[in-house]
Amino acid sequence: MNARDEPLMLKRVRRRDNVHLYLIMLPVLLHIFIFSYIPMYGIIIAFQNYFPGRPFLSFDGSVDWVGFKHFIDFFTGPYFTRLMRNTFILSFFYFIFGFWVPILFALLLNELRNGLFKKFVQTSSYLPHFISNVVVAGMVLSFIDPAGIVNSFIQWFGGTAIAFNTEPRYFAAIYTISTIWKSFGWSSILYLAAMSSIDPHLYEAAKLDGANRFQQMIRITLPSIRPTIFILLIFAIGSLFSANTEFIMLIYNPSLYETADVIGTFLYRDGLLGGNFSSGAAIGLFTGILNFTLLYSANALSRKYSDYALW
C-alpha cells in the first residue's frame, strides 16, 4: 500500500468505527426530515391565494399565483409596526433579563456543598418547566387580579389596587417575570453539565495559590463554561422575533393588544381563525427568514471574535 492510499484507508476505518453513532442519529434525522423538511413544500402557498381543497401545485391553471402580494400587504398593513415592535420588545426583555439568570443560578448552585439541599433546590427549580402553560397562565392571572395576592401586598403597604390585566404598560414585565420563573431552572441544566466536566485539579491548584471560592468561580468555572454560554447566546439572538406565543395568548386580552399583540398571536387570529392561510404562510416565512438572518449574523460575529460558533 502506497502513501496515497493511507488517507483513504483511515477514512474507511473511521466510518466503520462510527457506524453505531450514525445509527443512533438515524431516528432523529428521520424525524427532522419527515416533520420539518418534507412539510416545507407548503411554503409555496405564501405566493398564491390558497383555499382548502385547492392543490398546492398544479399546471392546469387552478392555482392562483399572486407573487409577493401577501408580503407587501403585511408590510404595509396597519399592524406591522405594532407587531414587530411588541415581538422584539418582549423577546429582547427576556433576552436581557433572562439569559444571565440560568448562568448565575448554575454558578451559585455549583458552589453548594450540602448534597441534599443542593438536590432539593435543583429539583424545585426544574418543576415550573413541567407545569403546563395553561396552569401557569391561570396562576399568573389569579396573582395579578385586582383581588389577587400582588394587589393584596400593594394595598398592605398603603398602595391602591392596580388592574394589571387591563393595563398595557405592565404586560412586558408580567410576561418577562413569568417566563423567566418557568424556564430558568431547566435552562441551567446545560451549564451545570458543562461545569461537571471541569478538571477538579484546577480548583485544587487555585486553592494552593490562595484563591477563595468566589475567585475560583470567576477564574475557573465561568471561563470553562464560556463555549456553552456563547452557543446558547447565538440561539437566543436567533430567536429575538419569536416570543412565546402560546403563553401570551393565554394571558392577554384585547385591551392589551397595544403591547401584547405579537406576530404569532396575529398570525393565529388572522391566518388560522380568519382562514387567510396564504397570508399566514407569508408572515411565518418572513419571520423564519428574519430569525435565520439574526442567527447567521450572530454565528458569524461569534466565530470572528470569540472562536465559538455553531458552524
Side-chain angles (χ1 to χ4, degrees), residues 226-238:
R226 188 181 300 161
T228 305
I229 293 175
F230 272 91
I231 294 301
L232 294 180
L233 179 63
I234 293 171
F235 281 120
I237 294 174

Side-chain angles (χ1 to χ4, degrees), residues 91-156:
S91 300
F92 185 73
F93 278 2
Y94 177 70
F95 172 73
I96 292 296
F97 298 106
F99 181 78
W100 57 268
V101 173
I103 302 174
L104 180 61
F105 177 74
L107 289 171
L108 296 177
L109 191 64
N110 189 59
E111 295 300 316
L112 292 178
R113 294 294 178 258
N114 188 322
L116 186 61
F117 180 68
K118 181 178 181 179
K119 290 181 180 178
F120 172 76
V121 174
Q122 193 170 3
T123 303
S124 300
S125 69
Y126 295 166
L127 288 179
H129 173 78
F130 296 100
I131 301 176
S132 167
N133 274 331
V134 177
V135 176
V136 174
M139 293 169 58
V140 171
L141 291 176
S142 66
F143 289 161
I144 65 175
D145 189 81
I149 188 172
V150 175
N151 275 306
S152 297
F153 274 107
I154 293 175
Q155 290 174 326
W156 188 59

Side-chain angles (χ1 to χ4, degrees), residues 203-224:
Y203 294 104
E204 294 175 4
K207 288 179 183 178
L208 293 175
D209 289 338
N212 57 36
R213 291 177 63 180
F214 179 76
Q215 291 171 328
Q216 293 173 39
M217 182 175 65
I218 297 299
R219 300 294 183 181
I220 298 176
T221 309
L222 196 56
S224 297

